[in-house]
Amino acid sequence: MKTLVVSGGTSGIGEAVAHTYLKRGDHVVVIGPNPEKGRKFLATAEGLGAGERAFFLTADLSLVSENERVVGEIGENFPAVDALVLCARFFRSRRHVTSEGFEHNFALYYLSRFLLGHGLLDLLEKAPEPVIVNVAGPGVEAGRIHWDDLGLERGYDGWGAMFQGGKLNNLLGVAFSLQGRGHRTRYVLDFPGGTATGFAGEFDPATAAHVKEMLRFAKPVEAGIAPIVAAIDSPPAEPLSAFFEGRRLDLRHHSFAPEDARRLDAVTRELLAG
């Protein structure tokens, strides 16, 4: 019996993964900001006969303090974590800054994944075959990292923020694997492609129309989560691996440059310390 932690597990890919493992008889901890969706998740679990194995933690993961609280609560209630599945993301057409001073996309899509991965590492290491699956954007060429403006104060664009987040997560995986030599926890970056599960966000009219069109051609969620489930069931042997719609990527690509990963890690720790 496994214990999974799923951020963004009340909708979309995260929800589908959570339900998959509840049906298998595992413990599933879902993290999300909406108590109503949390109650729906727990009610669904009851309907599956899995009520005693389903847990919901209400948290705004765009806040550093909330990530730290969640890590503490999971540590108090679970002896080990077999898999951490990182799905939480929220598109914003207009720039938004959290109460802690971070641009929202940077905070939710990147900082939260940094904090949860590092914060739960001790619990992961206690599991037989631990794995972190970061559902992000490996293999997506669009966008770039704005090293001199990670918060995108100059010329914010919603798509640019999302693409930057994907590239930051590429480097997060690299840095994690470089620092974790000797750890048993495997890190998997996965881009499942467009899935017919919705696209969480606040959109301007043009973006809303574009998203609606994208969803017309999206794959069923069962196909989207297949590589995620495979990575949880049989973690790759390598410390870090990356997949684009099921195809393994070459980590020698510039998106996974170790020197950039070390740079981002140092910048991140400095921001969090400040």
Side-chain angles (χ1 to χ4, degrees):
M1 182 182 294
K2 294 180 183 289
T3 296
L4 277 74
V5 175
V6 186
S7 70
T10 57
S11 62
I13 287 174
E15 181 182 34
V17 170
H19 288 166
T20 295
Y21 284 92
L22 283 178
K23 292 174 183 177
R24 290 189 181 189
D26 295 311
H27 292 87
V28 180
V29 182
V30 159
I31 311 167
N34 189 321
E36 183 177 345
K37 288 186 176 182
R39 288 190 288 271
K40 179 182 176 183
F41 165 72
L42 295 176
T44 299
E46 286 286 349
L48 295 171
E52 75 283 358
R53 293 184 282 102
F55 307 88
F56 175 71
L57 297 178
T58 306
D60 178 357
L61 292 178
S62 71
L63 299 176
V64 172
S65 58
E66 288 283 87
N67 284 274
E68 293 173 341
R69 175 180 62 81
V70 162
V71 166
E73 290 187 16
I74 293 172
E76 290 172 0
N77 291 283
F78 298 91
V81 172
D82 294 88
L84 170 62
V85 185
L86 301 167
C87 297
R89 189 179 69 185
F90 191 86
F91 187 99
R92 287 186 182 273
S93 291
R94 295 176 180 82
R95 187 173 184 270
H96 176 75
V97 177
T98 72
S99 60
E100 295 175 337
F102 294 111
E103 187 271 315
H104 187 269
N105 191 82
F106 177 79
L108 179 61
Y109 192 13
Y110 169 68
L111 278 185
S112 171
R113 300 182 186 214
F114 177 99
L115 291 162
L116 292 176
H118 287 286
L120 294 175
L121 180 59
D122 287 346
L123 292 181
L124 285 157
E125 286 293 297
K126 294 176 181 177
E129 292 184 289
V131 63
I132 298 172
V133 183
N134 187 337
V135 183
V140 176
E141 291 294 338
R144 67 182 180 90
I145 296 176
H146 299 256
W147 287 104
D148 62 340
D149 184 23
L150 290 173
L152 303 177
E153 296 183 47
R154 302 185 293 276
Y156 177 87
D157 172 78
W159 291 108
M162 186 181 71
F163 291 139
Q164 173 177 261
K167 294 189 179 304
L168 295 176
N169 278 292
N170 289 345
L171 299 181
L172 171 57
V174 175
F176 191 95
S177 65
L178 290 174
Q179 296 162 7
R181 290 172 179 169
H183 291 159
R184 293 180 303 104
T185 302
R186 298 314 187 213
Y187 206 104
V188 178
L189 295 161
D190 186 84
F191 176 67
T195 58
T197 58
F199 192 86
E202 294 180 356
F203 311 109
D204 58 31
T207 304
H210 180 64
V211 169
K212 183 177 181 180
E213 185 67 14
M214 285 170 51
L215 293 176
R216 287 183 55 210
F217 302 98
K219 68 182 69 172
V221 66
E222 293 79 9
I225 69 169
I228 299 169
V229 170
I232 296 170
D233 289 348
S234 299
E238 302 83 1
L240 174 67
S241 52
F243 298 88
F244 180 90
E245 297 187 338
R247 175 173 58 86
R248 185 182 286 267
L249 299 174
D250 187 343
L251 296 180
R252 293 173 295 181
H253 189 274
H254 62 81
S255 291
F256 309 102
E259 60 273 18
D260 287 342
R262 293 188 183 96
R263 178 184 181 185
L264 178 62
D265 186 78
V267 169
T268 302
R269 293 178 186 277
E270 184 176 346
L271 286 172
L272 292 172

